[in-house]
Amino acid sequence: METTSRVGAQAPATEGGQPVPFARRTVDGYLLAPFPWYGLDEAFTGPRWLMQVGMSADGAVEHGSIGHGEEPSVRSESTEDKERFAVVVTVAANPSRRSADGTGLLEATSVSSAAWLAGVGLLSFTWPGQMDHTLRDDWLDQQTETAWVLADDLDGSDWSSLSLPVDGVPTPFHYRESEFGWVLAGSTQEGVHVGAYGRGMSAYGLGFAVVKDISAYE
């Protein structure tokens, strides 16, 4: 898969095996992006919140995530049936290109980049029942590699097709479900790739739209 996203897509930092709670992200990084951000369309009336942006080695904003619904925690037996959230990931559609300082080559991004980031995002809020904290890092490494392989094979049997509206236009997405939640990825007419992941909210009823005013997000 041609993307720099694998290096930049890291699960939220943890302390003692537990995720650091989301600090309210500032909008500054989002405002630096030269591409439009996507979120759920106006049919979703619940809370919306910023998460984080990812940058290339030369400081250019390459991707970022916006949350909808309840801010997720690591899934446990007490939360897995209660959380309702969907996170939308926007990835700049960049060709293979030289870095700003001319010292390296930045690989192209693709729909697979969005699928990878969405898959890793879902895993970052997943904790299998009865797993010892000391084993989670090994489990996460294994599952992250699996997510990478799946994202690199969007035409494989693990994915199905799903049509969802993007800016009001029916758009094809690659979609898969797991015991941890769902992941989908596709492209838009605005020159970006869109990924999404969630739990407790059906992906089948979602629609996506350009965020008109990112500074209005909390």
Side-chain angles (χ1 to χ4, degrees):
M1 178 171 63
E2 295 182 334
T3 174
T4 57
S5 298
R6 187 178 189 185
V7 176
Q10 300 294 332
T14 60
E15 294 179 350
Q18 292 292 338
V20 175
F22 272 122
R24 288 293 181 180
R25 302 302 198 263
T26 66
V27 75
D28 296 357
Y30 293 84
L31 294 174
L32 295 174
F35 54 86
W37 293 104
Y38 271 81
L40 296 185
D41 62 20
E42 60 185 11
F44 177 80
T45 58
R48 300 170 182 249
W49 30 276
L50 301 178
M51 294 181 70
Q52 58 191 23
V53 299
M55 297 186 176
S56 63
D58 58 5
V61 177
E62 297 241 306
H63 59 82
S65 302
I66 297 174
H68 306 74
E70 303 168 3
E71 294 192 30
S73 57
V74 170
R75 193 187 78 162
S76 67
E77 293 178 353
S78 62
T79 63
E80 62 184 54
D81 295 326
K82 299 178 181 179
E83 290 184 338
R84 298 183 69 257
F85 70 89
V87 174
V88 179
V89 184
T90 306
V91 183
N94 290 325
S96 180
R97 63 212 186 280
R98 286 285 179 185
S99 60
D101 60 9
T103 60
L105 185 67
L106 301 176
E107 295 183 6
T109 57
S110 66
V111 177
S112 290
S113 307
W116 152 249
L117 287 166
V120 170
L122 182 61
L123 287 173
S124 69
F125 297 108
T126 300
W127 193 302
Q130 308 302 317
M131 177 173 284
D132 186 275
H133 290 196
T134 59
L135 298 177
R136 185 173 186 264
D137 285 345
D138 290 340
W139 175 87
L140 190 58
D141 286 343
Q142 294 171 356
Q143 294 299 316
T144 297
E145 185 63 29
T146 298
W148 173 259
V149 172
L150 288 170
D152 204 28
D153 186 24
L154 294 177
D155 294 324
S157 59
D158 291 290
W159 298 88
S160 60
S161 298
L162 181 62
S163 179
L164 296 172
V166 177
D167 295 322
V169 178
T171 302
F173 283 87
H174 300 275
Y175 173 78
R176 68 178 176 87
E177 294 181 355
S178 73
E179 61 182 301
F180 312 122
W182 52 263
V183 172
L184 59 80
S187 295
T188 78
Q189 296 180 342
E190 294 295 324
V192 299
H193 306 297
V194 169
Y197 62 91
R199 278 200 296 267
M201 294 173 61
S202 173
Y204 288 86
L206 300 182
F208 304 96
V210 169
V211 176
K212 296 179 181 178
D213 182 10
I214 191 68
S215 63
Y217 277 55
E218 297 181 4

CSV table of all heavy atoms in Angstrom, one decimal, residues 11-14 26-27 38 52 56 80 88 96-97 109 113 116 127 137-138 141 149 154 178 180 197-198 200 205 208:
chain,number,residue,atom,x,y,z
A,11,ALA,N,-1.7,4.8,18.0
A,11,ALA,CA,-2.8,4.8,18.9
A,11,ALA,C,-2.5,5.8,20.0
A,11,ALA,O,-1.3,6.2,20.2
A,11,ALA,CB,-2.9,3.4,19.6
A,12,PRO,N,-3.5,6.4,20.7
A,12,PRO,CA,-3.3,7.4,21.7
A,12,PRO,C,-2.4,6.8,22.8
A,12,PRO,O,-2.4,5.6,23.1
A,12,PRO,CB,-4.7,7.6,22.3
A,12,PRO,CG,-5.6,7.2,21.2
A,12,PRO,CD,-5.0,6.1,20.4
A,13,ALA,N,-1.6,7.7,23.3
A,13,ALA,CA,-0.6,7.3,24.3
A,13,ALA,C,-1.3,6.7,25.5
A,13,ALA,O,-2.4,7.1,25.9
A,13,ALA,CB,0.2,8.5,24.8
A,14,THR,N,-0.7,5.7,26.2
A,14,THR,CA,-1.3,5.1,27.3
A,14,THR,C,-0.4,5.3,28.6
A,14,THR,O,0.8,5.4,28.5
A,14,THR,CB,-1.5,3.6,27.1
A,14,THR,OG1,-0.2,3.0,26.8
A,14,THR,CG2,-2.4,3.4,25.9
A,26,THR,N,-7.2,21.6,20.0
A,26,THR,CA,-7.5,22.9,19.5
A,26,THR,C,-7.7,22.7,18.0
A,26,THR,O,-7.3,21.7,17.4
A,26,THR,CB,-6.3,23.8,19.7
A,26,THR,OG1,-5.1,23.3,19.0
A,26,THR,CG2,-6.0,23.9,21.2
A,27,VAL,N,-8.2,23.7,17.4
A,27,VAL,CA,-8.6,23.7,16.0
A,27,VAL,C,-7.4,24.1,15.1
A,27,VAL,O,-7.4,24.0,13.9
A,27,VAL,CB,-9.8,24.6,15.7
A,27,VAL,CG1,-9.4,26.1,15.7
A,27,VAL,CG2,-10.5,24.2,14.4
A,38,TYR,N,-14.0,16.3,6.4
A,38,TYR,CA,-15.3,15.7,6.4
A,38,TYR,C,-15.7,15.2,7.7
A,38,TYR,O,-14.9,14.8,8.6
A,38,TYR,CB,-15.2,14.5,5.4
A,38,TYR,CG,-15.5,14.9,4.0
A,38,TYR,CD1,-14.5,15.4,3.2
A,38,TYR,CD2,-16.8,14.8,3.4
A,38,TYR,CE1,-14.8,15.8,1.9
A,38,TYR,CE2,-17.1,15.2,2.1
A,38,TYR,CZ,-16.1,15.7,1.4
A,38,TYR,OH,-16.3,16.1,0.1
A,52,GLN,N,-7.5,14.5,16.5
A,52,GLN,CA,-6.1,14.9,16.2
A,52,GLN,C,-5.8,14.9,14.7
A,52,GLN,O,-6.5,14.4,13.9
A,52,GLN,CB,-5.1,13.9,16.9
A,52,GLN,CG,-5.4,12.4,16.4
A,52,GLN,CD,-4.6,11.4,17.3
A,52,GLN,OE1,-4.3,11.7,18.4
A,52,GLN,NE2,-4.4,10.3,16.7
A,56,SER,N,3.1,15.2,8.0
A,56,SER,CA,4.3,14.5,7.4
A,56,SER,C,5.5,15.0,8.1
A,56,SER,O,5.5,15.9,8.9
A,56,SER,CB,4.3,14.8,5.9
A,56,SER,OG,4.5,16.2,5.7
A,80,GLU,N,-18.9,-2.1,26.3
A,80,GLU,CA,-19.0,-2.5,24.9
A,80,GLU,C,-20.4,-2.4,24.3
A,80,GLU,O,-20.5,-2.2,23.1
A,80,GLU,CB,-18.4,-3.9,24.7
A,80,GLU,CG,-19.2,-4.9,25.4
A,80,GLU,CD,-18.5,-6.3,25.3
A,80,GLU,OE1,-17.3,-6.4,25.6
A,80,GLU,OE2,-19.2,-7.2,24.9
A,88,VAL,N,-14.8,10.0,11.8
A,88,VAL,CA,-14.5,10.2,10.4
A,88,VAL,C,-13.1,10.7,10.2
A,88,VAL,O,-12.7,11.7,10.9
A,88,VAL,CB,-15.5,11.3,9.8
A,88,VAL,CG1,-15.2,11.5,8.3
A,88,VAL,CG2,-17.0,10.8,10.0
A,96,SER,N,2.8,10.5,-5.0
A,96,SER,CA,4.1,10.3,-4.6
A,96,SER,C,4.9,11.6,-4.9
A,96,SER,O,4.8,12.1,-6.0
A,96,SER,CB,4.8,9.1,-5.3
A,96,SER,OG,6.1,9.0,-4.8
A,97,ARG,N,5.7,12.1,-3.9
A,97,ARG,CA,6.3,13.4,-4.1
A,97,ARG,C,7.5,13.6,-3.2
A,97,ARG,O,7.7,12.9,-2.3
A,97,ARG,CB,5.3,14.5,-3.8
A,97,ARG,CG,4.8,14.5,-2.3
A,97,ARG,CD,3.4,15.0,-2.2
A,97,ARG,NE,3.1,15.1,-0.8
A,97,ARG,CZ,2.7,14.1,0.0
A,97,ARG,NH1,2.7,12.8,-0.5
A,97,ARG,NH2,2.4,14.2,1.2
A,109,THR,N,-0.8,8.7,-1.1
A,109,THR,CA,-1.9,8.2,-0.2
A,109,THR,C,-3.0,7.6,-1.1
A,109,THR,O,-3.1,7.9,-2.3
A,109,THR,CB,-2.5,9.3,0.6
A,109,THR,OG1,-2.9,10.4,-0.2
A,109,THR,CG2,-1.4,9.9,1.6
A,113,SER,N,-5.1,4.0,2.5
A,113,SER,CA,-4.6,4.9,3.6
A,113,SER,C,-5.7,5.2,4.6
A,113,SER,O,-5.5,5.1,5.8
A,113,SER,CB,-4.0,6.2,3.1
A,113,SER,OG,-3.0,6.0,2.1
A,116,TRP,N,-6.7,2.0,6.5
A,116,TRP,CA,-5.6,1.7,7.5
A,116,TRP,C,-5.8,2.6,8.8
A,116,TRP,O,-5.9,2.1,9.9
A,116,TRP,CB,-4.3,1.9,6.9
A,116,TRP,CG,-3.2,2.2,7.9
A,116,TRP,CD1,-2.5,3.4,8.0
A,116,TRP,CD2,-2.6,1.4,8.9
A,116,TRP,NE1,-1.6,3.4,9.0
A,116,TRP,CE2,-1.7,2.2,9.6
A,116,TRP,CE3,-2.9,0.1,9.3
A,116,TRP,CZ2,-0.9,1.7,10.7
A,116,TRP,CZ3,-2.1,-0.4,10.4
A,116,TRP,CH2,-1.2,0.4,11.0
A,127,TRP,N,-10.3,-3.3,23.8
A,127,TRP,CA,-9.6,-4.1,24.8
A,127,TRP,C,-10.3,-5.5,24.9
A,127,TRP,O,-11.4,-5.5,25.5
A,127,TRP,CB,-9.5,-3.4,26.1
A,127,TRP,CG,-8.5,-4.1,27.1
A,127,TRP,CD1,-8.5,-5.4,27.5
A,127,TRP,CD2,-7.4,-3.5,27.7
A,127,TRP,NE1,-7.5,-5.6,28.4
A,127,TRP,CE2,-6.8,-4.4,28.5
A,127,TRP,CE3,-6.9,-2.2,27.6
A,127,TRP,CZ2,-5.6,-4.2,29.2
A,127,TRP,CZ3,-5.7,-1.9,28.4
A,127,TRP,CH2,-5.1,-2.9,29.2
A,137,ASP,N,-0.2,-5.0,24.5
A,137,ASP,CA,0.7,-4.4,23.5
A,137,ASP,C,1.0,-5.5,22.4
A,137,ASP,O,1.0,-5.1,21.3
A,137,ASP,CB,2.0,-4.0,24.2
A,137,ASP,CG,1.9,-2.7,24.9
A,137,ASP,OD1,0.8,-2.0,24.7
A,137,ASP,OD2,2.8,-2.3,25.7
A,138,ASP,N,1.2,-6.7,22.9
A,138,ASP,CA,1.4,-7.8,21.9
A,138,ASP,C,0.2,-8.0,21.0
A,138,ASP,O,0.3,-8.1,19.8
A,138,ASP,CB,1.8,-9.1,22.6
A,138,ASP,CG,3.2,-9.0,23.2
A,138,ASP,OD1,4.0,-8.2,22.8
A,138,ASP,OD2,3.5,-9.8,24.1
A,141,ASP,N,-0.2,-5.1,18.6
A,141,ASP,CA,0.8,-5.2,17.5
A,141,ASP,C,0.3,-6.2,16.4
A,141,ASP,O,0.3,-5.9,15.2
A,141,ASP,CB,2.1,-5.6,18.0
A,141,ASP,CG,2.9,-4.5,18.7
A,141,ASP,OD1,2.5,-3.3,18.5
A,141,ASP,OD2,3.8,-4.8,19.4
A,149,VAL,N,-2.7,-5.4,6.6
A,149,VAL,CA,-2.9,-6.4,5.5
A,149,VAL,C,-4.3,-6.2,4.9
A,149,VAL,O,-4.5,-6.2,3.7
A,149,VAL,CB,-2.7,-7.8,6.1
A,149,VAL,CG1,-3.1,-8.8,5.0
A,149,VAL,CG2,-1.3,-8.0,6.5
A,154,LEU,N,-8.3,-4.2,-0.4
A,154,LEU,CA,-9.7,-3.8,-0.3
A,154,LEU,C,-10.7,-4.5,-1.2
A,154,LEU,O,-11.9,-4.5,-1.1
A,154,LEU,CB,-9.8,-2.3,-0.6
A,154,LEU,CG,-9.1,-1.3,0.4
A,154,LEU,CD1,-9.2,0.1,-0.1
A,154,LEU,CD2,-9.7,-1.5,1.7
A,178,SER,N,-16.2,-6.3,12.4
A,178,SER,CA,-15.5,-7.2,13.3
A,178,SER,C,-16.2,-7.2,14.6
A,178,SER,O,-17.1,-6.5,14.9
A,178,SER,CB,-14.0,-6.8,13.4
A,178,SER,OG,-13.9,-5.7,14.3
A,180,PHE,N,-15.1,-5.9,17.1
A,180,PHE,CA,-14.7,-4.7,17.8
A,180,PHE,C,-15.5,-3.5,17.3
A,180,PHE,O,-15.5,-2.4,17.9
A,180,PHE,CB,-13.2,-4.4,17.6
A,180,PHE,CG,-12.4,-5.6,17.9
A,180,PHE,CD1,-11.5,-6.1,17.0
A,180,PHE,CD2,-12.5,-6.2,19.1
A,180,PHE,CE1,-10.7,-7.2,17.2
A,180,PHE,CE2,-11.7,-7.3,19.4
A,180,PHE,CZ,-10.8,-7.8,18.5
A,197,TYR,N,-14.8,4.8,11.4
A,197,TYR,CA,-15.0,3.6,12.2
A,197,TYR,C,-15.9,4.0,13.4
A,197,TYR,O,-16.1,5.1,13.7
A,197,TYR,CB,-13.6,3.1,12.8
A,197,TYR,CG,-12.9,4.1,13.6
A,197,TYR,CD1,-13.0,4.1,15.0
A,197,TYR,CD2,-12.0,5.0,13.1
A,197,TYR,CE1,-12.3,5.0,15.8
A,197,TYR,CE2,-11.3,5.9,13.9
A,197,TYR,CZ,-11.4,5.9,15.3
A,197,TYR,OH,-10.7,6.8,16.0
A,198,GLY,N,-16.5,2.9,14.0
A,198,GLY,CA,-17.4,3.2,15.1
A,198,GLY,C,-17.9,2.0,15.7
A,198,GLY,O,-17.7,0.8,15.3
A,200,GLY,N,-21.8,0.9,18.0
A,200,GLY,CA,-23.0,1.3,18.5
A,200,GLY,C,-23.9,2.1,17.6
A,200,GLY,O,-25.1,2.4,17.9
A,205,GLY,N,-26.7,3.8,8.0
A,205,GLY,CA,-27.5,5.0,8.0
A,205,GLY,C,-26.7,6.3,8.0
A,205,GLY,O,-27.3,7.4,8.1
A,208,PHE,N,-21.9,11.6,4.8
A,208,PHE,CA,-20.8,12.4,5.0
A,208,PHE,C,-20.9,13.7,4.3
A,208,PHE,O,-21.5,13.8,3.2
A,208,PHE,CB,-19.5,11.7,4.6
A,208,PHE,CG,-19.3,10.4,5.3
A,208,PHE,CD1,-19.7,9.2,4.6
A,208,PHE,CD2,-18.8,10.3,6.6
A,208,PHE,CE1,-19.6,8.0,5.2
A,208,PHE,CE2,-18.6,9.1,7.2
A,208,PHE,CZ,-19.0,7.9,6.5
